[in-house]
Amino acid sequence: MERILGIDFGLKRVGLAVSDPLGIFASALDTIPSAKIMIYLQSYIAGQPVSRFVVGYPKNLDNTPSENAQRVELFVKQLNKAFPSIPVSLEDERFTSKMAFRAMIDGGLKKMQRRDKATVDKVSAALILQGYLDYKSNS
């Protein structure tokens, strides 16, 4: 069964999460250097069918796109070009880094583990994807 891939795109790193086959819950998958993300995705999709990408879209508190939104839009164009048969959805990513940090504290991760930005990125991707999955199940 196909899965949905959640993506938290950043200049240095990209956090990734994946849904379960039924599309009910999201799990943190990996963190990849931004320069290598397309190679990683090609390899991942070759071994695991993906039905959709859910990309975190950065917004300001007033709901306007943040300055990083242009980079995300460029990345989405690259995704559409590289994987034209896989649809892309944008999901509001406001507060996901703070929520990821809180989830790591609640999960019992030690202080040194919480300082690892790669862990924060993949947990953020899981929160972005879970938000999408929750919305789809309620609509």
Side-chain angles (χ1 to χ4, degrees):
M1 198 163 215
E2 295 182 341
R3 296 175 185 259
I4 300 171
L5 203 61
I7 301 173
D8 181 23
F9 182 79
L11 280 177
K12 294 180 182 179
R13 292 171 307 278
V14 178
L16 298 170
V18 66
S19 72
D20 66 299
L22 298 175
I24 298 170
F25 63 88
S27 299
L29 178 63
D30 210 343
T31 304
I32 306 300
S34 296
K36 298 182 179 182
I37 186 60
M38 293 311 231
I39 294 167
Y40 180 92
L41 291 174
Q42 288 171 344
S43 175
Y44 184 85
I45 291 169
Q48 179 67 51
V50 171
S51 63
R52 176 175 299 277
F53 295 116
V54 176
V55 179
Y57 191 71
K59 293 183 177 184
N60 296 313
L61 290 176
D62 65 359
N63 209 30
T64 60
S66 76
E67 69 179 60
N68 198 37
Q70 287 181 323
R71 293 183 191 105
V72 170
E73 290 165 5
L74 180 62
F75 173 68
V76 168
K77 286 180 185 177
Q78 292 172 334
L79 274 179
N80 285 326
K81 184 176 180 182
F83 308 101
S85 64
I86 301 175
V88 178
S89 295
L90 297 176
E91 181 73 17
D92 188 349
E93 70 170 25
R94 282 179 285 190
F95 308 116
T96 54
S97 292
K98 288 182 176 133
M99 290 170 32
F101 192 73
R102 183 77 237 169
M104 292 184 333
I105 290 171
D106 293 346
L109 287 180
K110 297 190 185 312
K111 190 173 188 177
M112 290 304 292
Q113 293 170 309
R114 293 192 309 259
R115 287 185 181 169
D116 181 12
K117 301 275 190 203
T119 302
V120 173
D121 290 341
K122 64 185 174 183
V123 172
S124 292
L127 291 169
I128 290 165
L129 179 55
Q130 191 63 55
Y132 173 84
L133 295 173
D134 290 347
Y135 174 77
K136 291 300 283 179
S137 71
N138 291 326
S139 58

